Short mmCIF file of all heavy atoms in Angstrom, two decimals:
data_model
loop_
_atom_site.label_atom_id
_atom_site.label_comp_id
_atom_site.label_asym_id
_atom_site.label_seq_id
_atom_site.Cartn_x
_atom_site.Cartn_y
_atom_site.Cartn_z
N MET A 215 61.06 8.20 -9.44
CA MET A 215 59.83 8.72 -10.04
C MET A 215 58.64 7.80 -9.73
O MET A 215 57.57 8.29 -9.32
CB MET A 215 59.99 8.83 -11.56
CG MET A 215 58.74 9.28 -12.28
SD MET A 215 58.90 9.27 -14.09
CE MET A 215 58.74 7.51 -14.44
N LEU A 216 58.82 6.51 -9.90
CA LEU A 216 57.71 5.59 -9.64
C LEU A 216 57.28 5.61 -8.18
O LEU A 216 56.09 5.57 -7.88
CB LEU A 216 58.10 4.17 -10.07
CG LEU A 216 58.30 3.97 -11.58
CD1 LEU A 216 58.82 2.56 -11.86
CD2 LEU A 216 57.02 4.25 -12.35
N LEU A 217 58.25 5.72 -7.29
CA LEU A 217 57.89 5.80 -5.86
C LEU A 217 57.14 7.09 -5.55
O LEU A 217 56.16 7.08 -4.81
CB LEU A 217 59.15 5.66 -4.99
CG LEU A 217 59.73 4.27 -4.93
CD1 LEU A 217 61.12 4.29 -4.27
CD2 LEU A 217 58.81 3.30 -4.22
N LEU A 218 57.59 8.20 -6.11
CA LEU A 218 56.91 9.49 -5.86
C LEU A 218 55.50 9.49 -6.45
O LEU A 218 54.57 9.96 -5.81
CB LEU A 218 57.72 10.65 -6.42
CG LEU A 218 58.95 11.04 -5.61
CD1 LEU A 218 59.80 12.06 -6.36
CD2 LEU A 218 58.54 11.60 -4.24
N LYS A 219 55.36 8.94 -7.66
CA LYS A 219 54.04 8.89 -8.29
C LYS A 219 53.05 8.01 -7.52
O LYS A 219 51.86 8.25 -7.56
CB LYS A 219 54.15 8.37 -9.73
CG LYS A 219 54.56 9.41 -10.74
CD LYS A 219 54.48 8.83 -12.13
CE LYS A 219 54.60 9.89 -13.17
NZ LYS A 219 54.34 9.39 -14.50
N SER A 220 53.57 7.02 -6.84
CA SER A 220 52.69 6.09 -6.11
C SER A 220 52.12 6.71 -4.83
O SER A 220 51.17 6.18 -4.27
CB SER A 220 53.44 4.80 -5.77
OG SER A 220 54.36 5.02 -4.72
N LYS A 221 52.73 7.79 -4.38
CA LYS A 221 52.27 8.52 -3.19
C LYS A 221 52.03 7.59 -2.01
O LYS A 221 51.04 7.67 -1.30
CB LYS A 221 50.99 9.31 -3.52
CG LYS A 221 51.21 10.36 -4.57
CD LYS A 221 49.93 11.07 -4.93
CE LYS A 221 50.25 12.06 -6.03
NZ LYS A 221 49.08 12.48 -6.76
N GLY A 222 52.97 6.65 -1.82
CA GLY A 222 52.90 5.75 -0.68
C GLY A 222 51.91 4.60 -0.82
O GLY A 222 51.67 3.86 0.11
N LYS A 223 51.35 4.46 -2.01
CA LYS A 223 50.32 3.42 -2.22
C LYS A 223 50.80 2.32 -3.15
O LYS A 223 50.05 1.78 -3.93
CB LYS A 223 49.05 4.06 -2.75
CG LYS A 223 48.43 5.02 -1.77
CD LYS A 223 47.13 5.57 -2.24
CE LYS A 223 46.59 6.49 -1.15
NZ LYS A 223 45.40 7.17 -1.54
N LEU A 224 52.07 2.00 -3.03
CA LEU A 224 52.70 0.92 -3.80
C LEU A 224 53.09 -0.17 -2.83
O LEU A 224 53.81 0.07 -1.87
CB LEU A 224 53.94 1.46 -4.53
CG LEU A 224 54.83 0.45 -5.22
CD1 LEU A 224 54.11 -0.22 -6.39
CD2 LEU A 224 56.09 1.14 -5.72
N LYS A 225 52.61 -1.37 -3.11
CA LYS A 225 52.95 -2.51 -2.26
C LYS A 225 53.91 -3.41 -3.04
O LYS A 225 53.60 -3.82 -4.17
CB LYS A 225 51.69 -3.28 -1.88
CG LYS A 225 51.94 -4.48 -1.01
CD LYS A 225 50.65 -5.21 -0.69
CE LYS A 225 50.90 -6.48 0.08
NZ LYS A 225 49.68 -7.28 0.19
N ILE A 226 55.06 -3.70 -2.44
CA ILE A 226 56.08 -4.54 -3.06
C ILE A 226 56.28 -5.78 -2.21
O ILE A 226 56.51 -5.70 -1.00
CB ILE A 226 57.42 -3.78 -3.19
CG1 ILE A 226 57.28 -2.52 -4.03
CG2 ILE A 226 58.52 -4.70 -3.74
CD1 ILE A 226 56.88 -2.74 -5.46
N GLU A 227 56.19 -6.94 -2.83
CA GLU A 227 56.49 -8.22 -2.18
C GLU A 227 57.52 -8.93 -3.05
O GLU A 227 57.42 -8.86 -4.27
CB GLU A 227 55.23 -9.05 -2.06
CG GLU A 227 54.13 -8.41 -1.21
CD GLU A 227 52.83 -9.17 -1.29
OE1 GLU A 227 52.26 -9.28 -2.41
OE2 GLU A 227 52.38 -9.67 -0.25
N PHE A 228 58.46 -9.60 -2.42
CA PHE A 228 59.47 -10.33 -3.20
C PHE A 228 59.74 -11.69 -2.59
O PHE A 228 59.52 -11.91 -1.39
CB PHE A 228 60.75 -9.51 -3.36
CG PHE A 228 61.48 -9.23 -2.08
CD1 PHE A 228 62.55 -10.04 -1.70
CD2 PHE A 228 61.13 -8.18 -1.26
CE1 PHE A 228 63.24 -9.80 -0.52
CE2 PHE A 228 61.81 -7.92 -0.09
CZ PHE A 228 62.87 -8.73 0.29
N SER A 229 60.22 -12.60 -3.43
CA SER A 229 60.49 -13.96 -2.98
C SER A 229 61.49 -14.62 -3.92
O SER A 229 61.87 -14.06 -4.94
CB SER A 229 59.18 -14.78 -2.95
OG SER A 229 58.65 -14.87 -4.26
N ASN A 230 61.86 -15.83 -3.56
CA ASN A 230 62.68 -16.67 -4.43
C ASN A 230 64.00 -16.01 -4.81
O ASN A 230 64.45 -16.13 -5.95
CB ASN A 230 61.88 -17.01 -5.69
CG ASN A 230 61.99 -18.46 -6.07
OD1 ASN A 230 62.47 -19.28 -5.29
ND2 ASN A 230 61.55 -18.77 -7.28
N VAL A 231 64.62 -15.31 -3.87
CA VAL A 231 65.89 -14.65 -4.12
C VAL A 231 66.99 -15.71 -4.21
O VAL A 231 67.17 -16.53 -3.30
CB VAL A 231 66.21 -13.64 -3.00
CG1 VAL A 231 67.61 -13.07 -3.16
CG2 VAL A 231 65.16 -12.54 -2.97
N LYS A 232 67.71 -15.69 -5.33
CA LYS A 232 68.82 -16.62 -5.56
C LYS A 232 69.96 -15.87 -6.20
O LYS A 232 69.73 -14.98 -7.03
CB LYS A 232 68.38 -17.76 -6.49
CG LYS A 232 67.28 -18.63 -5.95
CD LYS A 232 66.87 -19.67 -6.96
CE LYS A 232 65.68 -20.45 -6.40
NZ LYS A 232 64.94 -21.13 -7.46
N ALA A 233 71.18 -16.21 -5.83
CA ALA A 233 72.34 -15.58 -6.47
C ALA A 233 73.60 -16.39 -6.21
O ALA A 233 73.70 -17.12 -5.24
CB ALA A 233 72.53 -14.16 -5.91
N ASP A 234 74.54 -16.24 -7.14
CA ASP A 234 75.88 -16.78 -6.94
C ASP A 234 76.85 -15.59 -7.08
O ASP A 234 76.44 -14.45 -6.93
CB ASP A 234 76.17 -17.92 -7.93
CG ASP A 234 76.04 -17.52 -9.39
OD1 ASP A 234 76.21 -16.33 -9.73
OD2 ASP A 234 75.76 -18.39 -10.23
N ASP A 235 78.09 -15.86 -7.42
CA ASP A 235 79.08 -14.78 -7.49
C ASP A 235 78.85 -13.79 -8.63
O ASP A 235 79.31 -12.65 -8.56
CB ASP A 235 80.49 -15.36 -7.62
CG ASP A 235 80.96 -16.05 -6.33
OD1 ASP A 235 80.35 -15.76 -5.27
OD2 ASP A 235 81.89 -16.85 -6.41
N SER A 236 78.14 -14.22 -9.69
CA SER A 236 78.00 -13.32 -10.84
C SER A 236 76.57 -13.02 -11.26
O SER A 236 76.33 -11.99 -11.89
CB SER A 236 78.78 -13.90 -12.03
OG SER A 236 78.29 -15.20 -12.33
N THR A 237 75.62 -13.92 -10.96
CA THR A 237 74.24 -13.71 -11.41
C THR A 237 73.26 -13.97 -10.29
O THR A 237 73.60 -14.62 -9.29
CB THR A 237 73.88 -14.65 -12.60
OG1 THR A 237 73.94 -16.00 -12.15
CG2 THR A 237 74.81 -14.41 -13.78
N GLY A 238 72.06 -13.47 -10.48
CA GLY A 238 71.02 -13.69 -9.48
C GLY A 238 69.64 -13.51 -10.09
O GLY A 238 69.48 -13.11 -11.24
N SER A 239 68.63 -13.84 -9.27
CA SER A 239 67.25 -13.70 -9.72
C SER A 239 66.34 -13.54 -8.51
O SER A 239 66.72 -13.84 -7.38
CB SER A 239 66.84 -14.92 -10.54
OG SER A 239 66.88 -16.09 -9.74
N ALA A 240 65.15 -13.05 -8.79
CA ALA A 240 64.12 -12.92 -7.76
C ALA A 240 62.77 -12.77 -8.46
O ALA A 240 62.71 -12.42 -9.65
CB ALA A 240 64.38 -11.70 -6.88
N ASN A 241 61.72 -13.06 -7.72
CA ASN A 241 60.38 -12.79 -8.19
C ASN A 241 59.82 -11.69 -7.30
O ASN A 241 60.10 -11.66 -6.10
CB ASN A 241 59.49 -14.03 -8.08
CG ASN A 241 59.97 -15.13 -8.99
OD1 ASN A 241 60.37 -14.91 -10.12
ND2 ASN A 241 59.95 -16.35 -8.50
N TRP A 242 59.08 -10.77 -7.91
CA TRP A 242 58.49 -9.71 -7.12
C TRP A 242 57.14 -9.32 -7.70
O TRP A 242 56.87 -9.53 -8.88
CB TRP A 242 59.42 -8.54 -6.93
CG TRP A 242 59.84 -7.75 -8.13
CD1 TRP A 242 60.77 -8.12 -9.07
CD2 TRP A 242 59.38 -6.46 -8.50
NE1 TRP A 242 60.91 -7.11 -9.99
CE2 TRP A 242 60.07 -6.07 -9.67
CE3 TRP A 242 58.47 -5.55 -7.94
CZ2 TRP A 242 59.87 -4.86 -10.31
CZ3 TRP A 242 58.26 -4.35 -8.57
CH2 TRP A 242 58.96 -4.01 -9.75
N THR A 243 56.29 -8.80 -6.83
CA THR A 243 54.96 -8.36 -7.22
C THR A 243 54.76 -6.91 -6.79
O THR A 243 55.04 -6.57 -5.64
CB THR A 243 53.88 -9.25 -6.57
OG1 THR A 243 54.12 -10.61 -6.95
CG2 THR A 243 52.48 -8.84 -7.00
N ALA A 244 54.30 -6.09 -7.72
CA ALA A 244 53.96 -4.70 -7.43
C ALA A 244 52.45 -4.56 -7.51
O ALA A 244 51.85 -4.94 -8.52
CB ALA A 244 54.63 -3.77 -8.44
N THR A 245 51.84 -4.04 -6.46
CA THR A 245 50.41 -3.76 -6.45
C THR A 245 50.24 -2.26 -6.28
O THR A 245 50.77 -1.67 -5.34
CB THR A 245 49.72 -4.51 -5.29
OG1 THR A 245 50.00 -5.92 -5.41
CG2 THR A 245 48.22 -4.29 -5.30
N TYR A 246 49.52 -1.65 -7.22
CA TYR A 246 49.37 -0.19 -7.22
C TYR A 246 48.20 0.21 -8.12
O TYR A 246 47.68 -0.61 -8.88
CB TYR A 246 50.66 0.47 -7.73
CG TYR A 246 51.04 0.06 -9.13
CD1 TYR A 246 50.69 0.84 -10.24
CD2 TYR A 246 51.74 -1.13 -9.36
CE1 TYR A 246 51.04 0.46 -11.52
CE2 TYR A 246 52.09 -1.51 -10.65
CZ TYR A 246 51.74 -0.72 -11.73
OH TYR A 246 52.08 -1.12 -12.99
N ASN A 247 47.82 1.46 -8.07
CA ASN A 247 46.85 2.02 -8.99
C ASN A 247 47.60 2.72 -10.09
O ASN A 247 48.44 3.60 -9.82
CB ASN A 247 45.91 3.00 -8.29
CG ASN A 247 44.85 2.28 -7.48
OD1 ASN A 247 44.82 1.05 -7.43
ND2 ASN A 247 44.00 3.03 -6.83
N PHE A 248 47.33 2.33 -11.32
CA PHE A 248 47.99 2.93 -12.50
C PHE A 248 47.56 4.38 -12.60
O PHE A 248 46.37 4.70 -12.61
CB PHE A 248 47.64 2.14 -13.74
CG PHE A 248 48.32 2.62 -14.99
CD1 PHE A 248 49.70 2.59 -15.08
CD2 PHE A 248 47.59 3.10 -16.05
CE1 PHE A 248 50.33 3.03 -16.23
CE2 PHE A 248 48.22 3.53 -17.21
CZ PHE A 248 49.60 3.49 -17.30
N SER A 249 48.52 5.29 -12.67
CA SER A 249 48.24 6.74 -12.56
C SER A 249 47.32 7.27 -13.65
O SER A 249 46.50 8.14 -13.38
CB SER A 249 49.55 7.52 -12.51
OG SER A 249 50.29 7.31 -13.70
N LYS A 250 47.44 6.77 -14.88
CA LYS A 250 46.63 7.33 -15.98
C LYS A 250 45.16 6.94 -15.88
O LYS A 250 44.30 7.68 -16.34
CB LYS A 250 47.20 6.87 -17.32
CG LYS A 250 48.50 7.53 -17.67
CD LYS A 250 48.74 7.47 -19.15
CE LYS A 250 50.03 8.04 -19.59
NZ LYS A 250 50.37 9.35 -19.10
N THR A 251 44.85 5.79 -15.30
CA THR A 251 43.47 5.30 -15.29
C THR A 251 42.93 5.06 -13.88
O THR A 251 41.76 4.80 -13.71
CB THR A 251 43.36 3.96 -16.05
OG1 THR A 251 44.21 3.00 -15.40
CG2 THR A 251 43.78 4.11 -17.51
N ASN A 252 43.82 5.12 -12.90
CA ASN A 252 43.50 4.81 -11.50
C ASN A 252 42.99 3.38 -11.31
O ASN A 252 42.31 3.08 -10.34
CB ASN A 252 42.52 5.83 -10.91
CG ASN A 252 42.59 5.85 -9.39
OD1 ASN A 252 43.67 5.67 -8.80
ND2 ASN A 252 41.45 6.02 -8.74
N ARG A 253 43.29 2.50 -12.24
CA ARG A 253 42.90 1.10 -12.14
C ARG A 253 43.98 0.33 -11.36
O ARG A 253 45.15 0.58 -11.53
CB ARG A 253 42.73 0.48 -13.52
CG ARG A 253 41.59 1.10 -14.32
CD ARG A 253 41.56 0.56 -15.75
NE ARG A 253 41.41 -0.88 -15.77
CZ ARG A 253 40.24 -1.52 -15.83
NH1 ARG A 253 39.12 -0.84 -15.87
NH2 ARG A 253 40.20 -2.84 -15.82
N GLU A 254 43.51 -0.62 -10.51
CA GLU A 254 44.47 -1.42 -9.74
C GLU A 254 45.19 -2.40 -10.65
O GLU A 254 44.59 -3.06 -11.49
CB GLU A 254 43.77 -2.20 -8.62
CG GLU A 254 44.79 -2.95 -7.76
CD GLU A 254 44.20 -3.77 -6.66
OE1 GLU A 254 43.40 -4.69 -6.95
OE2 GLU A 254 44.54 -3.50 -5.51
N VAL A 255 46.51 -2.47 -10.44
CA VAL A 255 47.37 -3.39 -11.17
C VAL A 255 48.10 -4.26 -10.16
O VAL A 255 48.63 -3.76 -9.15
CB VAL A 255 48.39 -2.61 -12.03
CG1 VAL A 255 49.41 -3.55 -12.65
CG2 VAL A 255 47.69 -1.79 -13.10
N ILE A 256 48.11 -5.56 -10.42
CA ILE A 256 48.93 -6.50 -9.66
C ILE A 256 49.88 -7.12 -10.68
O ILE A 256 49.49 -7.97 -11.48
CB ILE A 256 48.07 -7.57 -8.96
CG1 ILE A 256 47.08 -6.90 -7.99
CG2 ILE A 256 48.98 -8.56 -8.20
CD1 ILE A 256 46.04 -7.84 -7.43
N ASN A 257 51.11 -6.63 -10.69
CA ASN A 257 52.08 -7.03 -11.70
C ASN A 257 53.10 -7.99 -11.12
O ASN A 257 53.84 -7.64 -10.21
CB ASN A 257 52.78 -5.77 -12.26
CG ASN A 257 53.50 -6.05 -13.57
OD1 ASN A 257 53.28 -7.08 -14.19
ND2 ASN A 257 54.31 -5.11 -14.00
N LYS A 258 53.12 -9.21 -11.65
CA LYS A 258 54.07 -10.24 -11.21
C LYS A 258 55.28 -10.21 -12.14
O LYS A 258 55.14 -10.37 -13.35
CB LYS A 258 53.40 -11.60 -11.22
CG LYS A 258 52.27 -11.69 -10.21
CD LYS A 258 51.65 -13.07 -10.18
CE LYS A 258 50.49 -13.15 -9.23
NZ LYS A 258 50.79 -12.94 -7.84
N ILE A 259 56.44 -10.02 -11.53
CA ILE A 259 57.66 -9.75 -12.30
C ILE A 259 58.75 -10.75 -11.94
O ILE A 259 58.94 -11.09 -10.78
CB ILE A 259 58.13 -8.30 -12.01
CG1 ILE A 259 57.03 -7.33 -12.41
CG2 ILE A 259 59.42 -7.98 -12.75
CD1 ILE A 259 57.01 -6.06 -11.64
N SER A 260 59.48 -11.15 -12.95
CA SER A 260 60.65 -12.01 -12.79
C SER A 260 61.89 -11.16 -13.08
O SER A 260 61.98 -10.54 -14.15
CB SER A 260 60.56 -13.17 -13.78
OG SER A 260 61.74 -13.92 -13.78
N ALA A 261 62.80 -11.09 -12.11
CA ALA A 261 63.98 -10.25 -12.25
C ALA A 261 65.23 -11.10 -12.36
O ALA A 261 65.36 -12.12 -11.69
CB ALA A 261 64.10 -9.31 -11.05
N GLU A 262 66.15 -10.65 -13.20
CA GLU A 262 67.46 -11.28 -13.33
C GLU A 262 68.53 -10.20 -13.15
O GLU A 262 68.34 -9.05 -13.56
CB GLU A 262 67.59 -11.92 -14.71
CG GLU A 262 66.61 -13.07 -14.94
CD GLU A 262 66.69 -13.64 -16.34
OE1 GLU A 262 67.57 -13.22 -17.12
OE2 GLU A 262 65.85 -14.50 -16.65
N PHE A 263 69.64 -10.60 -12.52
CA PHE A 263 70.68 -9.66 -12.18
C PHE A 263 72.05 -10.19 -12.59
O PHE A 263 72.29 -11.40 -12.57
CB PHE A 263 70.72 -9.43 -10.67
CG PHE A 263 69.44 -8.94 -10.08
CD1 PHE A 263 68.52 -9.82 -9.59
CD2 PHE A 263 69.17 -7.57 -10.04
CE1 PHE A 263 67.32 -9.37 -9.05
CE2 PHE A 263 67.97 -7.12 -9.51
CZ PHE A 263 67.04 -8.02 -9.01
N ILE A 264 72.93 -9.26 -12.94
CA ILE A 264 74.36 -9.56 -13.11
C ILE A 264 75.09 -8.60 -12.16
O ILE A 264 74.71 -7.42 -12.06
CB ILE A 264 74.80 -9.39 -14.57
CG1 ILE A 264 74.06 -10.39 -15.46
CG2 ILE A 264 76.32 -9.55 -14.69
CD1 ILE A 264 74.35 -10.25 -16.94
N PHE A 265 76.10 -9.11 -11.50
CA PHE A 265 76.81 -8.32 -10.48
C PHE A 265 78.23 -8.02 -10.93
O PHE A 265 78.86 -8.82 -11.62
CB PHE A 265 76.87 -9.09 -9.16
CG PHE A 265 75.52 -9.51 -8.68
CD1 PHE A 265 75.06 -10.82 -8.86
CD2 PHE A 265 74.67 -8.60 -8.05
CE1 PHE A 265 73.80 -11.20 -8.44
CE2 PHE A 265 73.42 -8.98 -7.61
CZ PHE A 265 72.98 -10.28 -7.79
N GLN A 266 78.72 -6.87 -10.49
CA GLN A 266 80.12 -6.49 -10.70
C GLN A 266 80.51 -5.59 -9.54
O GLN A 266 79.78 -4.67 -9.17
CB GLN A 266 80.26 -5.74 -12.04
CG GLN A 266 81.68 -5.38 -12.37
CD GLN A 266 81.78 -4.69 -13.72
OE1 GLN A 266 81.20 -5.14 -14.70
NE2 GLN A 266 82.51 -3.59 -13.76
N ASP A 267 81.70 -5.85 -8.99
CA ASP A 267 82.22 -5.03 -7.88
C ASP A 267 81.26 -4.99 -6.68
O ASP A 267 81.15 -3.96 -6.01
CB ASP A 267 82.54 -3.60 -8.35
CG ASP A 267 83.53 -3.57 -9.51
OD1 ASP A 267 84.43 -4.43 -9.54
OD2 ASP A 267 83.39 -2.68 -10.37
N GLY A 268 80.54 -6.09 -6.45
CA GLY A 268 79.63 -6.14 -5.31
C GLY A 268 78.33 -5.38 -5.49
O GLY A 268 77.59 -5.19 -4.51
N LEU A 269 78.04 -4.95 -6.72
CA LEU A 269 76.83 -4.18 -7.01
C LEU A 269 76.12 -4.76 -8.23
O LEU A 269 76.68 -5.53 -8.99
CB LEU A 269 77.19 -2.71 -7.26
CG LEU A 269 77.83 -1.96 -6.10
CD1 LEU A 269 78.40 -0.63 -6.56
CD2 LEU A 269 76.82 -1.76 -4.97
N ILE A 270 74.88 -4.33 -8.45
CA ILE A 270 74.11 -4.77 -9.61
C ILE A 270 74.55 -3.94 -10.82
O ILE A 270 74.41 -2.72 -10.82
CB ILE A 270 72.59 -4.58 -9.35
CG1 ILE A 270 72.13 -5.40 -8.15
CG2 ILE A 270 71.80 -4.94 -10.61
CD1 ILE A 270 70.77 -5.00 -7.59
N ILE A 271 75.05 -4.62 -11.84
CA ILE A 271 75.50 -3.94 -13.07
C ILE A 271 74.45 -4.09 -14.18
O ILE A 271 74.34 -3.25 -15.06
CB ILE A 271 76.89 -4.46 -13.55
CG1 ILE A 271 77.41 -3.63 -14.74
CG2 ILE A 271 76.83 -5.93 -13.96
CD1 ILE A 271 78.22 -2.47 -14.38
#
Side-chain angles (χ1 to χ4, degrees):
M215 177 185 77
L216 293 175
L217 287 169
L218 285 172
K219 278 187 168 188
S220 74
K221 298 177 182 161
K223 296 185 178 175
L224 171 66
K225 180 180 174 189
I226 301 297
E227 299 171 298
F228 64 97
S229 62
N230 224 13
V231 173
K232 297 177 184 160
D234 58 27
D235 290 341
S236 57
T237 64
S239 62
N241 295 319
W242 64 284
T243 303
T245 304
Y246 60 96
N247 283 0
F248 184 61
S249 60
K250 289 202 182 310
T251 61
N252 201 35
R253 295 174 59 91
E254 183 181 61
V255 172
I256 301 170
N257 197 12
K258 296 183 182 296
I259 301 151
S260 172
E262 296 176 5
F263 303 92
I264 297 176
F265 305 101
Q266 183 178 314
D267 303 325
L269 298 168
I270 300 165
I271 187 89

